[in-house]
Amino acid sequence: MSWTSERISHDEKSIRNALQGCGRIPRHVGIIMDGNGRWAEDRKFPRVEGHRVGMESVRDVVKVASQLGVRYLTLYAFSLENWKRPVMEVRFLMSLLESYLRQEIDELHANKVRIRSIGKVNALPRGVQHMLKRAMDLTEHNDGLTLTLALSYGSRWDILRSVQMLSLDVRRGKVSPEDITEETFRNYLQTSFLPEPDLIIRTSGEMRLSNFLMWESAYAEIYVTQRLWPEFRRMDFYKALADYARRERRFGCTSSQIGEQVSEHADHLSTLEHILNALH
Ligand code: IPE
Ligand code: IPE
Ligand code: MG
């Protein structure tokens, strides 16, 4: 189904207009999708049920991000540390991932989503690797949302890997140590195809990065919500974007150097706040 023809309510249209009117849609959003286990345990369900329902949240957020014109969405789906979880949970997560890709690939492709991944992909089961490759190959030339799945990913792992590759290039004489800049280093990271994240969302109230995009998030805005991932849907995503739209990003400068533009969008922002408050 084409996402552009989806019917949405009047309220939702107003939210989108206000968000887009601010001109503050983040280019790159990263999400640490946390709280699946707690969501399930609260309901006396097995933890994996939280992962299953969490996939519905993924579907909704991917669609809405694409519709709003977010260019890059990076989802932290499985960390390197998550391999330490009970075998059955890991197995379930892997089969969920495979079936997500299998089921969604056509719709994602039809909506011009480009699928990418970061992480130690060769540690994933063959079936997942295969589906991932298929999805990436099929969508390679799409020019819509870039959906990056962080799978078997850890930021320290990526940074160390980059240091090793850079060291090899130094040894081969391709790079001299004094020429190593942030830019050259960045090119070795698996995330080199991504712009730096503007907004990092973490669900379930935990205030930590848990090894997600640590180099890249140096100046990302961080938004933490108490909502657990399986219950995080489009309205929560709008709330996060509305919060982001209000932030002043100073990058070490002073407010006056930035030439604060937030006030120019005061009307849009108050409309947004008004609608979102009424809805919740
Ligand atoms: C996030 O939810 C999903 C993954 C890390 C794979 P959790 O499974 O971490 O849920 P909680 O944090 O235990 O509630
Ligand atoms: C972070 O969640 C990893 C993902 C969301 C994939 P965790 O639940 O693994 O993080 P910690 O252990 O609470 O820091
Ligand atoms: Mg967790």
Side-chain angles (χ1 to χ4, degrees):
M1 192 197 76
S2 163
W3 294 341
T4 46
S5 57
E6 191 198 23
R7 291 173 68 104
I8 56 171
S9 70
H10 176 74
D11 277 341
E12 204 177 336
K13 241 178 235 160
S14 313
I15 294 171
R16 290 192 187 186
N17 286 341
L19 274 172
Q20 283 163 331
C22 294
R24 288 264 185 134
I25 301 283
R27 188 150 79 116
H28 181 184
V29 180
I31 308 185
I32 303 172
M33 310 184 290
D34 198 15
N36 294 354
R38 275 163 283 172
W39 181 90
E41 281 156 13
D42 288 350
R43 288 160 182 76
K44 311 262 183 292
F45 295 151
R47 285 178 58 84
V48 292
E49 185 59 15
H51 299 315
R52 208 184 52 75
V53 176
M55 279 300 173
E56 293 306 314
S57 307
V58 171
R59 285 190 185 95
D60 203 36
V61 169
V62 168
K63 185 201 283 185
V64 170
S66 160
Q67 289 169 331
L68 277 172
V70 171
R71 301 296 303 153
Y72 299 87
L73 178 68
T74 302
L75 300 179
Y76 200 10
F78 194 84
S79 72
L80 273 172
E81 290 76 23
N82 290 150
W83 288 113
K84 294 184 283 194
R85 291 193 178 193
V87 176
M88 291 311 282
E89 182 169 342
V90 171
R91 265 195 210 146
F92 186 89
L93 278 163
M94 292 300 143
S95 68
L96 202 61
L97 252 160
E98 193 179 328
S99 59
Y100 168 78
L101 288 166
R102 181 172 295 118
Q103 283 165 22
E104 301 299 308
I105 189 168
D106 290 334
E107 186 161 335
L108 292 167
H109 183 46
N111 288 284
K112 301 192 170 60
V113 174
R114 181 170 67 131
I115 300 169
R116 303 293 304 259
S117 73
I118 50 173
K120 199 174 174 182
V121 172
N122 60 11
L124 298 168
R126 271 179 199 285
V128 179
Q129 287 189 48
H130 174 74
M131 280 310 299
L132 198 57
K133 185 168 179 335
R134 233 180 88 189
M136 292 195 297
D137 288 348
L138 179 70
T139 62
E140 192 183 354
H141 300 295
N142 288 347
D143 59 2
L145 173 76
T146 295
L147 171 64
T148 304
L149 303 173
L151 299 173
S152 189
Y153 172 83
S155 201
R156 286 184 177 174
W157 167 81
D158 195 20
I159 291 169
L160 271 182
R161 209 192 114 265
S162 307
V163 170
Q164 286 170 350
M165 291 194 305
L166 184 54
S167 309
L168 284 174
D169 281 350
V170 168
R171 193 158 74 190
R172 289 182 194 126
K174 286 214 268 181
V175 180
S176 64
E178 54 279 9
D179 291 340
I180 299 170
T181 60
E182 285 187 12
E183 220 34 56
T184 30
F185 182 70
R186 205 185 121 62
N187 288 332
Y188 286 85
L189 291 167
Q190 279 202 336
T191 52
S192 61
F193 67 96
L194 292 166
E196 291 190 2
D198 301 296
L199 172 64
I200 299 285
I201 299 174
R202 181 159 188 159
T203 56
S204 89
E206 307 294 357
M207 304 214 190
R208 53 179 175 262
L209 285 175
S210 302
N211 211 1
F212 186 51
L213 303 180
M214 294 196 303
W215 169 278
E216 299 82 349
S217 294
Y219 271 99
E221 294 298 323
I222 298 177
Y223 177 87
V224 175
T225 169
Q226 292 300 321
R227 274 254 203 271
L228 303 170
W229 179 251
E231 59 195 8
F232 186 96
R233 296 298 157 92
R234 58 180 67 197
M235 286 302 161
D236 306 292
F237 190 60
Y238 294 141
K239 271 202 159 174
L241 296 191
D243 196 88
Y244 171 83
R246 270 197 301 262
R247 310 268 184 104
E248 183 186 59
R249 303 185 72 191
R250 289 191 289 277
F251 299 96
C253 300
T254 66
S255 262
S256 56
Q257 284 176 304
I258 298 295
E260 182 47 304
Q261 320 93 327
V262 171
S263 56
E264 292 168 24
H265 307 300
D267 284 353
H268 286 305
L269 286 173
S270 64
T271 314
L272 254 178
E273 241 152 86
H274 186 75
I275 309 169
L276 288 167
N277 287 338
L279 287 173
H280 280 261

